């Protein structure tokens, strides 16, 4: 992940992360932040499941509880944004907790 991309996500947070927030790529193309976060969460979940299946071949997604933590200093809108991004990754339950 490029440092420019990480900065853009942080900048979106500083501006007030919301459903309408957008992230601009280096090439100038804009994309909804919700799409970016949802894709990232889905990728991490899928990658984790592949790694787990190598170690525990019979494991099912329903055997795993996924937990996403968010910093306590995030404003309520940013916390809600993460909840919505997590819910958008369907077919399993995600618990979003606040991390001190």
């Amino acid at each position: 992940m490029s440092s420019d991309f990480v900065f853009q996500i942080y900048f979106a947070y500083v501006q007030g992360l919301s459903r309408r927030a957008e992230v601009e790529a280096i090439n100038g193309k804009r994309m909804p932040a919700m799409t970016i976060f949802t894709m990232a969460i889905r990728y991490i979940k899928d990658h984790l499941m592949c790694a787990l299946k190598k170690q525990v071949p019979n494991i099912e997604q329903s055997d795993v509880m996924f937990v996403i933590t968010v910093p306590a200093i995030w404003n309520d809108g940013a916390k809600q944004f993460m909840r919505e991004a997590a819910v958008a990754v369907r077919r399993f339950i995600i618990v979003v907790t606040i991390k001190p």
Side-chain angles (χ1 to χ4, degrees):
M1 192 177 306
S2 78
S3 60
D4 287 335
F5 178 72
V6 172
F7 175 76
Q8 287 290 332
I9 288 180
Y10 178 75
F11 187 66
Y13 160 70
V14 170
Q15 286 181 327
L17 199 53
S18 70
R19 290 182 195 118
R20 295 180 305 274
E22 289 189 337
V23 178
E24 184 174 334
I26 295 171
N27 65 3
K29 184 177 178 183
R30 299 185 67 77
M31 181 175 248
M34 182 64 73
T35 301
I36 300 290
F37 278 77
T38 301
M39 289 169 54
I41 293 168
R42 183 174 290 120
Y43 173 81
I44 292 167
K45 175 200 63 103
D46 292 345
H47 184 73
L48 173 66
M49 288 308 300
C50 285
L52 284 173
K53 283 186 183 277
K54 289 178 183 175
Q55 297 295 318
V56 185
N58 296 329
I59 196 164
E60 296 295 328
Q61 193 165 293
S62 60
D63 298 329
V64 180
M65 177 184 238
F66 296 90
V67 177
I68 295 175
T69 61
V70 297
I73 63 169
W74 282 19
N75 64 36
D76 290 339
K79 292 173 190 172
Q80 182 61 31
F81 178 91
M82 284 303 294
R83 283 184 197 96
E84 291 176 17
V87 168
V89 180
R90 304 210 192 287
R91 298 185 307 265
F92 67 95
I93 297 170
I94 297 179
V95 178
V96 178
T97 64
I98 298 172
K99 177 182 167 185

